[in-house]
Amino acid sequence: MARTIVIIGGSAAGMGAAGAAQQVDPDVHVIIYTELADVGYSPCGIPYVHGKEIDSFDRLILQGKEFYADRGFDIHYETVVSGIDTKRHTIDVPGEGSVGYDQLVIATGFKYEQPKVPGSDLGNLYYVRDIRAAQRWDKILDSVHHAVIADAQPIGVEMATALAHRGIETHLVDPHPWPMAEITDPDIMEPVEESWRELGVHLHLNTRIDAFLGTERVQAVRTSNGDIAVDMVVVGTKKLPNNDLAAAAGVKCGSTGGLIVDEHMRTSVPDVFAAGDCVEVPQGTTGVPVQGLSGSHAYAQGKIAGSGAAGTLRSYSPVYVPWGLVAGKWMVGGVSFGETLAGALGIPYVKGVAEGISRARYYPGFKKIRVKLLAEPGTLKLIGAQLVGGEGIKERCDFLAMAARKGLTLHDIAWMENVYSPAMGALAEPMALAAQNGLTAVQS
Amino acid sequence: MARTIVIIGGSAAGMGAAGAAQQVDPDVHVIIYTELADVGYSPCGIPYVHGKEIDSFDRLILQGKEFYADRGFDIHYETVVSGIDTKRHTIDVPGEGSVGYDQLVIATGFKYEQPKVPGSDLGNLYYVRDIRAAQRWDKILDSVHHAVIADAQPIGVEMATALAHRGIETHLVDPHPWPMAEITDPDIMEPVEESWRELGVHLHLNTRIDAFLGTERVQAVRTSNGDIAVDMVVVGTKKLPNNDLAAAAGVKCGSTGGLIVDEHMRTSVPDVFAAGDCVEVPQGTTGVPVQGLSGSHAYAQGKIAGSGAAGTLRSYSPVYVPWGLVAGKWMVGGVSFGETLAGALGIPYVKGVAEGISRARYYPGFKKIRVKLLAEPGTLKLIGAQLVGGEGIKERCDFLAMAARKGLTLHDIAWMENVYSPAMGALAEPMALAAQNGLTAVQS
């Protein structure tokens, strides 16, 4: 008899699992539960529709519901799973009762950290998440003149840029001395801050939010530096693993709060896999568990989990976490550790920094690229990177993540070959310049 | 007493050698001979000025003559070296007599293959090379209505795009079935050909040039498919090592015609180094000597040669040759071998091909990227790549050159991590898709 795989969650990890399971075993019965009214769209695009860079939410829908129905996926929309009984191999679904599984994939994603201040229950606090809510909020945004973004975490950073593009007076409030301070270094964010100021974004750094003020709807935000009158607030706080259901069922969580999985994306409980923002996985250099990676990580993990659930165990390797996003007029990105994070974790490093350019200096439209490389003292193996620039950041982060994965050193990067053609690339590759500067610093 | 290093050639290799020599030994006496009236400009930018994408030749000048004088370089402009006596450690310079050296660096660059057809001595045959000639030709271009580009080698490809941008009726004539046929595959060049047609370029492929017709000035080009009336011809033939001087002095040349150098860029003759387009160096996978690489290769080789000439031997590694250029509205590029070249050399391969995108499919301005990866059968180690796309080609070629250098396999690339952020990169990295397709092809 065909096995039944139940997947809780219909985003990148869940849909990746569904596809991989069916690829491994075309006869498998895949049931997907999602709290939302849709699957197959990209939530990552929502800020760019709000910012009017993308002209319609329809563009974010990559596949219609028929596509999945045609593939034979049994998707239960707007359905909340209320419990998991791992011994009986069942889940509880209000209205459906007890539903049995042979293998379960937990892909419940993230939830935003709740602001623990008075007024957090007021209306007009926007948590960017699903496309239908985004469509409602987008209409509201038409009449918003003043907004606060609560916290300069990545989603807050994207939304600050988006609301500014839209012409809304935007206040970005964050308790840290620079944006995304847990994953970035201040020298990398400095051009972004300048670019936001040019866009009219008001930066309130080193500033705590003490309360949301108002009756029913938020009317002002009380901060440690005064009150800001607002029509709405975007809550751009940290993403936490959404694990209440799994934890209640006895699935073990790790130090980050993410579900613990082995290299095959198996949890602590037999026949239960997990993938995406709800799990933690080891960082490659240190083995330290990390959590809340990108949609491409979630999708890749989902494929491993789905494949395993369908009977073919595959392995997911430790991660080196290339990341990036557009902030103001710049692209920022990195790999594993910047100086701040390495310092916080007590990881020793040497560094090389350079300002390079993306195309020949005389070619119109060339962009500046700042590269910082962190390497292990002694071996000079790459352990992290931070970049900011006008183009070519994603591709360089991918390069450097592979370099870290493969144990490449500053020597390897310093003397790398690079394409030189005026309209495509400069004589000197910025990553190579940074590595050369790192070697000089070590030798002197 | 300070050593005297004589450098013949003032382009990337020569100037790289001069800088590195002085860095190794600040007291070294550096004398540079160049046939040209300038150093410190980028010849690679010339086609883009002709194409009006760069607004002035002045932009190509990176450093003025004073810069080099201030650094203490003794540069002899517009001076032809007529002989080398390697036993006496002297060179012959008309008007200067015999000039002694302790170490010599030969950086004489390339010359265009001469068309061996009647009329090759007519006027209005333009060989793109130095900036002063380019300035003169640029004025002539103002009154040119019809031009033939003789051969779709890289310089011919750049000039075809440039003249079309400038509004000149441009005919690109090449004996091969597709442009740059020695280094590219037809599927990679197909979008370029289409783009040229949109730009109004007339492609005459599989077409031989039999003669340049005219009296004094060329008035028509006789091809195997008929005559083309022209106001001028751009000779975009193959670049050959410019080695007559060195060969006459007994410096050994290899199978490509390039000077043979060891890993320290030492020629067959004591105290004589060489670098740039006049040498050949081993390709990394095969050891086959290759020649005529990019300006960044020439510069890197020059630094090794200059450093060695000044007393510090450094090593130059075998090359994997990332290359790229803009052609029509596309960027094309590659690493080491495409299918055509691998086939010609008898190198066995398996391949993976994919069409991907540079940013999220719903993000405005995303570009298509086609990636073809060639791997060694069995080990699946990357041995070559060909790419065409709208952006991100240089960076991916750099990645793949490093991947080939480090022995990475299709498995490594298939499961690489990648940045996903809608405005910067797509969920699926095109290189990973190509590698995954390669693995599927091998397994089936």
Side-chain angles (χ1 to χ4, degrees):
Chain A
M1 201 186 122
R3 80 172 77 197
T4 296
I5 297 177
V6 167
I7 300 171
I8 309 177
S11 289
M15 299 314 289
Q22 195 178 59
Q23 206 165 18
V24 164
D25 178 3
D27 296 328
V28 76
H29 181 207
V30 175
I31 312 176
I32 301 167
Y33 288 91
T34 173
E35 300 183 6
L36 304 177
D38 310 273
V39 299
Y41 70 92
S42 170
C44 306
I46 291 171
Y48 302 92
V49 188
H50 288 324
K52 304 273 192 198
E53 288 162 274
I54 297 171
D55 61 9
S56 161
F57 284 99
D58 294 341
R59 291 200 187 274
L60 305 189
I61 296 166
L62 307 173
Q63 300 292 354
K65 292 186 178 182
E66 323 70 43
F67 173 83
Y68 296 104
D70 289 349
R71 284 191 69 174
F73 295 155
D74 180 7
I75 307 185
H76 297 231
Y77 295 95
E78 299 181 87
T79 306
V80 178
V81 175
S82 60
I84 304 171
D85 187 330
T86 61
K87 293 223 176 70
R88 290 179 53 222
H89 278 55
T90 59
I91 62 167
D92 301 320
V93 185
E96 294 187 18
S98 183
V99 177
Y101 65 78
D102 294 303
Q103 274 78 28
L104 178 68
V105 178
I106 299 174
T108 44
F110 73 89
K111 58 188 176 189
Y112 287 106
E113 185 172 39
Q114 288 289 329
K116 291 181 197 67
V117 297
S120 295
D121 54 347
L122 288 171
N124 274 23
L125 295 189
Y126 176 23
Y127 294 83
V128 180
R129 187 139 181 229
D130 75 278
I131 192 167
R132 301 218 178 191
Q135 284 169 314
R136 288 193 302 275
W137 277 98
D138 201 67
K139 291 195 185 78
I140 295 168
L141 285 172
D142 284 336
S143 58
V144 166
H145 300 289
H146 313 279
V148 155
I149 315 273
D151 281 17
Q153 297 283 341
I155 185 69
V157 163
E158 289 185 312
M159 283 299 291
T161 307
L163 296 193
H165 280 166
R166 196 167 170 135
I168 293 171
E169 185 188 292
T170 302
H171 297 262
L172 181 59
V173 183
D174 191 277
H176 300 95
W178 66 88
M180 301 194 291
E182 290 171 15
I183 56 169
T184 65
D185 293 341
D187 59 323
I188 295 297
M189 292 308 289
E190 192 274 325
V192 173
E193 293 177 35
E194 189 186 316
S195 159
W196 273 332
R197 285 189 202 101
E198 286 167 14
L199 276 172
V201 175
H202 301 262
L203 293 178
H204 305 264
L205 297 167
N206 293 306
T207 302
R208 202 179 54 241
I209 290 179
D210 289 329
F212 299 110
L213 308 177
T215 50
E216 291 193 18
R217 297 158 70 87
V218 62
Q219 291 170 314
V221 176
R222 174 148 297 164
T223 79
S224 51
N225 288 316
D227 291 358
I228 305 168
V230 293
D231 303 310
M232 73 172 295
V233 169
V234 176
V235 183
T237 50
K238 209 165 158 176
K239 292 178 175 183
L240 302 176
N242 182 28
N243 280 340
D244 296 345
L245 182 70
V251 184
K252 276 193 190 149
C253 295
S255 58
T256 69
L259 299 175
I260 295 172
V261 289
D262 68 7
E263 63 182 321
H264 307 299
M265 306 309 291
R266 295 185 295 201
T267 68
S268 60
V269 173
D271 295 320
V272 179
F273 294 76
D277 283 335
C278 63
V279 308
E280 62 179 35
V281 293
Q283 193 277 336
T285 314
T286 58
V288 168
V290 293
Q291 174 276 327
L293 310 177
S294 74
S296 65
H297 288 91
Y299 188 62
Q301 292 169 7
K303 289 200 283 187
I304 303 285
S307 174
T312 298
L313 288 181
R314 284 167 45 204
S315 293
Y316 188 71
S317 301
V319 292
Y320 294 82
V321 203
W323 65 270
L325 49 76
V326 170
K329 70 175 182 185
W330 297 104
M331 297 173 173
V332 291
V335 170
S336 291
F337 310 110
E339 290 188 83
T340 308
L341 188 53
L345 294 171
I347 300 170
Y349 63 87
V350 296
K351 70 170 171 172
V353 184
E355 299 271 359
I357 48 177
S358 63
R359 310 181 189 211
R361 191 172 297 283
Y362 52 79
Y363 194 83
F366 79 87
K367 301 288 197 311
K368 280 197 266 187
I369 297 176
R370 181 178 174 84
V371 178
K372 184 194 297 181
L373 303 179
L374 273 58
E376 184 179 54
T379 67
L380 300 185
K381 283 183 183 174
L382 187 73
I383 56 173
Q386 296 256 302
L387 294 88
V388 58
E391 62 181 340
I393 298 302
K394 118 91 183 168
E395 297 82 358
R396 286 179 175 83
C397 290
D398 290 353
F399 177 106
L400 293 167
M402 184 59 90
R405 176 178 295 275
K406 291 295 175 179
L408 269 57
T409 69
L410 293 186
H411 291 284
D412 291 318
I413 299 168
W415 313 120
M416 67 184 277
E417 287 173 84
N418 66 276
V419 172
Y420 169 47
S421 185
M424 293 170 68
L427 183 66
E429 162 55 40
M431 297 186 293
L433 293 176
Q436 289 164 21
N437 289 342
L439 292 176
T440 303
V442 168
Q443 282 150 10
S444 65
Chain B
M1 201 187 124
R3 78 172 79 197
T4 296
I5 297 176
V6 168
I7 299 171
I8 309 177
S11 288
M15 299 313 289
Q22 195 179 61
Q23 207 165 18
V24 164
D25 178 2
D27 295 328
V28 77
H29 181 208
V30 175
I31 313 175
I32 300 166
Y33 288 91
T34 173
E35 300 181 7
L36 303 177
D38 311 274
V39 298
Y41 69 91
S42 171
C44 307
I46 291 171
Y48 302 93
V49 187
H50 289 323
K52 304 272 192 198
E53 289 164 272
I54 298 171
D55 60 9
S56 160
F57 284 99
D58 294 342
R59 292 199 187 273
L60 306 189
I61 297 166
L62 307 174
Q63 300 292 352
K65 293 187 178 183
E66 324 71 45
F67 173 82
Y68 297 103
D70 290 349
R71 285 190 68 173
F73 295 154
D74 181 7
I75 307 185
H76 298 230
Y77 295 96
E78 298 181 88
T79 306
V80 178
V81 175
S82 60
I84 303 170
D85 187 330
T86 61
K87 295 222 175 72
R88 290 177 53 220
H89 278 54
T90 59
I91 62 168
D92 300 321
V93 184
E96 294 187 17
S98 183
V99 178
Y101 65 79
D102 293 304
Q103 275 78 29
L104 179 68
V105 177
I106 299 174
T108 43
F110 74 89
K111 58 188 174 189
Y112 287 105
E113 186 173 36
Q114 289 289 327
K116 290 180 197 69
V117 297
S120 296
D121 54 346
L122 288 171
N124 274 22
L125 295 188
Y126 176 23
Y127 294 82
V128 180
R129 186 139 181 230
D130 75 279
I131 190 166
R132 302 219 177 189
Q135 285 169 311
R136 287 194 302 274
W137 276 99
D138 202 67
K139 292 196 184 76
I140 295 169
L141 285 172
D142 284 336
S143 57
V144 166
H145 299 290
H146 313 279
V148 155
I149 316 274
D151 280 17
Q153 297 283 338
I155 185 70
V157 163
E158 289 185 313
M159 284 299 291
T161 307
L163 295 194
H165 280 166
R166 196 169 173 137
I168 294 171
E169 185 189 292
T170 301
H171 297 261
L172 181 59
V173 183
D174 192 277
H176 300 95
W178 66 87
M180 301 193 292
E182 290 171 14
I183 56 169
T184 66
D185 292 341
D187 59 323
I188 295 297
M189 293 308 290
E190 192 274 327
V192 173
E193 293 177 36
E194 186 185 319
S195 158
W196 272 332
R197 284 188 202 102
E198 284 168 14
L199 278 171
V201 175
H202 301 261
L203 292 179
H204 306 263
L205 297 167
N206 293 306
T207 303
R208 202 178 56 240
I209 291 179
D210 290 330
F212 300 109
L213 308 178
T215 52
E216 291 191 20
R217 299 157 68 86
V218 63
Q219 291 170 315
V221 175
R222 173 147 299 163
T223 79
S224 51
N225 288 315
D227 290 359
I228 305 167
V230 294
D231 303 312
M232 72 172 295
V233 169
V234 176
V235 183
T237 49
K238 210 164 160 178
K239 293 177 174 184
L240 303 176
N242 181 26
N243 279 340
D244 296 345
L245 183 69
V251 184
K252 276 192 191 148
C253 295
S255 58
T256 69
L259 299 174
I260 295 172
V261 289
D262 68 7
E263 64 181 318
H264 308 299
M265 306 308 291
R266 294 184 296 202
T267 67
S268 61
V269 173
D271 294 321
V272 179
F273 295 75
D277 283 335
C278 63
V279 308
E280 61 179 37
V281 292
Q283 194 277 336
T285 314
T286 58
V288 167
V290 292
Q291 174 277 326
L293 311 177
S294 75
S296 65
H297 288 91
Y299 188 62
Q301 293 169 6
K303 289 201 283 186
I304 303 285
S307 174
T312 298
L313 288 181
R314 284 168 46 205
S315 294
Y316 188 71
S317 300
V319 293
Y320 294 82
V321 203
W323 65 271
L325 48 77
V326 170
K329 71 175 183 185
W330 297 104
M331 296 173 173
V332 292
V335 170
S336 291
F337 310 109
E339 291 188 80
T340 308
L341 188 53
L345 293 172
I347 299 170
Y349 62 86
V350 295
K351 69 170 172 173
V353 185
E355 300 270 359
I357 49 177
S358 63
R359 309 181 190 211
R361 191 171 297 281
Y362 52 79
Y363 193 82
F366 80 86
K367 300 289 197 312
K368 281 198 265 186
I369 297 176
R370 180 179 175 84
V371 178
K372 184 195 295 181
L373 303 179
L374 272 58
E376 183 179 56
T379 67
L380 301 185
K381 284 184 182 173
L382 187 73
I383 56 173
Q386 297 255 302
L387 292 89
V388 59
E391 62 181 339
I393 298 302
K394 117 91 183 168
E395 297 82 358
R396 286 179 175 82
C397 291
D398 290 353
F399 177 106
L400 293 167
M402 184 61 90
R405 176 179 295 276
K406 291 296 174 180
L408 268 60
T409 68
L410 293 186
H411 292 284
D412 291 318
I413 300 168
W415 314 120
M416 66 183 278
E417 288 173 84
N418 65 275
V419 172
Y420 169 47
S421 185
M424 294 171 66
L427 183 66
E429 162 55 39
M431 296 186 293
L433 293 175
Q436 289 164 22
N437 289 343
L439 292 175
T440 303
V442 168
Q443 282 150 11
S444 64

mmCIF file of all heavy atoms in Angstrom, chain A residues 269-294:
data_model
loop_
_atom_site.group_PDB
_atom_site.id
_atom_site.type_symbol
_atom_site.label_atom_id
_atom_site.label_comp_id
_atom_site.label_asym_id
_atom_site.label_seq_id
_atom_site.Cartn_x
_atom_site.Cartn_y
_atom_site.Cartn_z
ATOM 1 N N VAL A 269 12.295 12.313 16.865
ATOM 2 C CA VAL A 269 11.180 11.356 16.934
ATOM 3 C C VAL A 269 11.135 10.538 15.638
ATOM 4 O O VAL A 269 11.221 11.107 14.548
ATOM 5 C CB VAL A 269 9.847 12.129 17.120
ATOM 6 C CG1 VAL A 269 8.654 11.177 17.010
ATOM 7 C CG2 VAL A 269 9.837 12.854 18.451
ATOM 8 N N PRO A 270 10.995 9.197 15.770
ATOM 9 C CA PRO A 270 10.965 8.361 14.564
ATOM 10 C C PRO A 270 9.867 8.786 13.592
ATOM 11 O O PRO A 270 8.770 9.178 14.008
ATOM 12 C CB PRO A 270 10.673 6.951 15.110
ATOM 13 C CG PRO A 270 11.146 6.983 16.528
ATOM 14 C CD PRO A 270 10.919 8.393 17.008
ATOM 15 N N ASP A 271 10.180 8.721 12.322
ATOM 16 C CA ASP A 271 9.233 9.024 11.242
ATOM 17 C C ASP A 271 8.778 10.480 11.209
ATOM 18 O O ASP A 271 7.779 10.794 10.557
ATOM 19 C CB ASP A 271 8.012 8.085 11.301
ATOM 20 C CG ASP A 271 8.406 6.643 11.028
ATOM 21 O OD1 ASP A 271 9.246 6.427 10.135
ATOM 22 O OD2 ASP A 271 7.897 5.753 11.733
ATOM 23 N N VAL A 272 9.492 11.327 11.918
ATOM 24 C CA VAL A 272 9.168 12.755 11.861
ATOM 25 C C VAL A 272 10.387 13.518 11.346
ATOM 26 O O VAL A 272 11.445 13.522 11.982
ATOM 27 C CB VAL A 272 8.738 13.313 13.227
ATOM 28 C CG1 VAL A 272 8.438 14.811 13.117
ATOM 29 C CG2 VAL A 272 7.521 12.554 13.757
ATOM 30 N N PHE A 273 10.219 14.130 10.194
ATOM 31 C CA PHE A 273 11.244 14.979 9.598
ATOM 32 C C PHE A 273 10.867 16.441 9.821
ATOM 33 O O PHE A 273 9.720 16.758 10.132
ATOM 34 C CB PHE A 273 11.335 14.712 8.092
ATOM 35 C CG PHE A 273 11.819 13.327 7.738
ATOM 36 C CD1 PHE A 273 10.972 12.231 7.864
ATOM 37 C CD2 PHE A 273 13.106 13.116 7.284
ATOM 38 C CE1 PHE A 273 11.415 10.939 7.539
ATOM 39 C CE2 PHE A 273 13.556 11.836 6.955
ATOM 40 C CZ PHE A 273 12.709 10.755 7.085
ATOM 41 N N ALA A 274 11.836 17.323 9.649
ATOM 42 C CA ALA A 274 11.517 18.751 9.734
ATOM 43 C C ALA A 274 12.466 19.526 8.827
ATOM 44 O O ALA A 274 13.579 19.071 8.530
ATOM 45 C CB ALA A 274 11.615 19.256 11.160
ATOM 46 N N ALA A 275 12.034 20.712 8.391
ATOM 47 C CA ALA A 275 12.827 21.503 7.441
ATOM 48 C C ALA A 275 12.373 22.952 7.466
ATOM 49 O O ALA A 275 11.230 23.247 7.813
ATOM 50 C CB ALA A 275 12.660 20.939 6.032
ATOM 51 N N GLY A 276 13.274 23.836 7.127
ATOM 52 C CA GLY A 276 12.948 25.250 6.960
ATOM 53 C C GLY A 276 13.215 26.073 8.213
ATOM 54 O O GLY A 276 14.067 25.721 9.039
ATOM 55 N N ASP A 277 12.481 27.156 8.338
ATOM 56 C CA ASP A 277 12.748 28.097 9.433
ATOM 57 C C ASP A 277 12.480 27.520 10.815
ATOM 58 O O ASP A 277 12.862 28.127 11.817
ATOM 59 C CB ASP A 277 11.897 29.363 9.252
ATOM 60 C CG ASP A 277 12.459 30.283 8.177
ATOM 61 O OD1 ASP A 277 13.686 30.214 7.924
ATOM 62 O OD2 ASP A 277 11.692 31.076 7.610
ATOM 63 N N CYS A 278 11.828 26.362 10.905
ATOM 64 C CA CYS A 278 11.535 25.778 12.225
ATOM 65 C C CYS A 278 12.661 24.894 12.735
ATOM 66 O O CYS A 278 12.590 24.403 13.857
ATOM 67 C CB CYS A 278 10.205 25.021 12.196
ATOM 68 S SG CYS A 278 10.192 23.606 11.086
ATOM 69 N N VAL A 279 13.699 24.659 11.943
ATOM 70 C CA VAL A 279 14.792 23.785 12.400
ATOM 71 C C VAL A 279 16.073 24.587 12.623
ATOM 72 O O VAL A 279 16.184 25.742 12.213
ATOM 73 C CB VAL A 279 15.106 22.655 11.385
ATOM 74 C CG1 VAL A 279 13.845 21.888 11.017
ATOM 75 C CG2 VAL A 279 15.810 23.181 10.152
ATOM 76 N N GLU A 280 17.035 23.943 13.282
ATOM 77 C CA GLU A 280 18.385 24.492 13.332
ATOM 78 C C GLU A 280 19.331 23.489 12.685
ATOM 79 O O GLU A 280 19.106 22.278 12.750
ATOM 80 C CB GLU A 280 18.803 24.818 14.772
ATOM 81 C CG GLU A 280 18.863 23.619 15.704
ATOM 82 C CD GLU A 280 19.303 23.987 17.119
ATOM 83 O OE1 GLU A 280 18.943 25.083 17.598
ATOM 84 O OE2 GLU A 280 20.027 23.172 17.736
ATOM 85 N N VAL A 281 20.360 24.018 12.035
ATOM 86 C CA VAL A 281 21.344 23.166 11.361
ATOM 87 C C VAL A 281 22.740 23.682 11.724
ATOM 88 O O VAL A 281 22.897 24.852 12.087
ATOM 89 C CB VAL A 281 21.149 23.176 9.823
ATOM 90 C CG1 VAL A 281 19.843 22.498 9.434
ATOM 91 C CG2 VAL A 281 21.210 24.585 9.269
ATOM 92 N N PRO A 282 23.753 22.825 11.632
ATOM 93 C CA PRO A 282 25.095 23.273 12.037
ATOM 94 C C PRO A 282 25.768 24.184 11.012
ATOM 95 O O PRO A 282 25.725 23.908 9.812
ATOM 96 C CB PRO A 282 25.876 21.968 12.193
ATOM 97 C CG PRO A 282 25.150 20.973 11.350
ATOM 98 C CD PRO A 282 23.716 21.388 11.316
ATOM 99 N N GLN A 283 26.372 25.270 11.517
ATOM 100 C CA GLN A 283 27.233 26.090 10.661
ATOM 101 C C GLN A 283 28.523 25.303 10.421
ATOM 102 O O GLN A 283 29.012 24.612 11.324
ATOM 103 C CB GLN A 283 27.505 27.434 11.349
ATOM 104 C CG GLN A 283 28.117 28.494 10.440
ATOM 105 C CD GLN A 283 29.621 28.383 10.296
ATOM 106 O OE1 GLN A 283 30.289 27.832 11.170
ATOM 107 N NE2 GLN A 283 30.157 28.882 9.194
ATOM 108 N N GLY A 284 29.047 25.401 9.206
ATOM 109 C CA GLY A 284 30.123 24.517 8.788
ATOM 110 C C GLY A 284 31.443 24.673 9.524
ATOM 111 O O GLY A 284 32.097 23.689 9.878
ATOM 112 N N THR A 285 31.877 25.889 9.751
ATOM 113 C CA THR A 285 33.202 26.115 10.340
ATOM 114 C C THR A 285 33.215 25.738 11.813
ATOM 115 O O THR A 285 34.194 25.178 12.316
ATOM 116 C CB THR A 285 33.591 27.609 10.219
ATOM 117 O OG1 THR A 285 33.307 28.049 8.905
ATOM 118 C CG2 THR A 285 35.051 27.814 10.537
ATOM 119 N N THR A 286 32.119 26.057 12.507
ATOM 120 C CA THR A 286 32.107 25.967 13.972
ATOM 121 C C THR A 286 31.250 24.839 14.509
ATOM 122 O O THR A 286 31.401 24.449 15.667
ATOM 123 C CB THR A 286 31.526 27.274 14.553
ATOM 124 O OG1 THR A 286 30.200 27.437 14.014
ATOM 125 C CG2 THR A 286 32.371 28.468 14.174
ATOM 126 N N GLY A 287 30.331 24.339 13.708
ATOM 127 C CA GLY A 287 29.358 23.382 14.217
ATOM 128 C C GLY A 287 28.257 24.007 15.047
ATOM 129 O O GLY A 287 27.333 23.330 15.475
ATOM 130 N N VAL A 288 28.337 25.309 15.267
ATOM 131 C CA VAL A 288 27.313 26.024 16.035
ATOM 132 C C VAL A 288 25.975 25.962 15.290
ATOM 133 O O VAL A 288 25.934 26.215 14.092
ATOM 134 C CB VAL A 288 27.739 27.498 16.225
ATOM 135 C CG1 VAL A 288 26.581 28.346 16.748
ATOM 136 C CG2 VAL A 288 28.949 27.591 17.140
ATOM 137 N N PRO A 289 24.883 25.606 15.991
ATOM 138 C CA PRO A 289 23.597 25.559 15.298
ATOM 139 C C PRO A 289 23.105 26.943 14.898
ATOM 140 O O PRO A 289 23.216 27.898 15.684
ATOM 141 C CB PRO A 289 22.646 24.917 16.315
ATOM 142 C CG PRO A 289 23.365 24.834 17.588
ATOM 143 C CD PRO A 289 24.798 25.197 17.393
ATOM 144 N N VAL A 290 22.592 27.044 13.695
ATOM 145 C CA VAL A 290 22.032 28.305 13.207
ATOM 146 C C VAL A 290 20.630 28.046 12.680
ATOM 147 O O VAL A 290 20.263 26.911 12.384
ATOM 148 C CB VAL A 290 22.914 28.948 12.119
ATOM 149 C CG1 VAL A 290 24.234 29.409 12.697
ATOM 150 C CG2 VAL A 290 23.149 27.983 10.960
ATOM 151 N N GLN A 291 19.878 29.125 12.551
ATOM 152 C CA GLN A 291 18.443 28.980 12.307
ATOM 153 C C GLN A 291 17.965 30.227 11.577
ATOM 154 O O GLN A 291 18.588 31.281 11.654
ATOM 155 C CB GLN A 291 17.802 28.801 13.694
ATOM 156 C CG GLN A 291 16.314 28.763 13.755
ATOM 157 C CD GLN A 291 15.741 30.162 13.798
ATOM 158 O OE1 GLN A 291 16.342 31.062 14.350
ATOM 159 N NE2 GLN A 291 14.591 30.331 13.172
ATOM 160 N N GLY A 292 16.842 30.088 10.851
ATOM 161 C CA GLY A 292 16.272 31.271 10.197
ATOM 162 C C GLY A 292 17.083 31.689 8.992
ATOM 163 O O GLY A 292 17.466 32.849 8.855
ATOM 164 N N LEU A 293 17.358 30.754 8.088
ATOM 165 C CA LEU A 293 18.165 31.051 6.904
ATOM 166 C C LEU A 293 17.241 31.511 5.774
ATOM 167 O O LEU A 293 16.134 31.965 6.035
ATOM 168 C CB LEU A 293 18.986 29.814 6.537
ATOM 169 C CG LEU A 293 19.769 29.213 7.732
ATOM 170 C CD1 LEU A 293 20.498 27.957 7.323
ATOM 171 C CD2 LEU A 293 20.731 30.226 8.333
ATOM 172 N N SER A 294 17.699 31.360 4.538
ATOM 173 C CA SER A 294 16.918 31.920 3.420
ATOM 174 C C SER A 294 15.909 30.921 2.877
ATOM 175 O O SER A 294 15.917 29.731 3.227
ATOM 176 C CB SER A 294 17.871 32.332 2.300
ATOM 177 O OG SER A 294 18.349 31.175 1.627
#
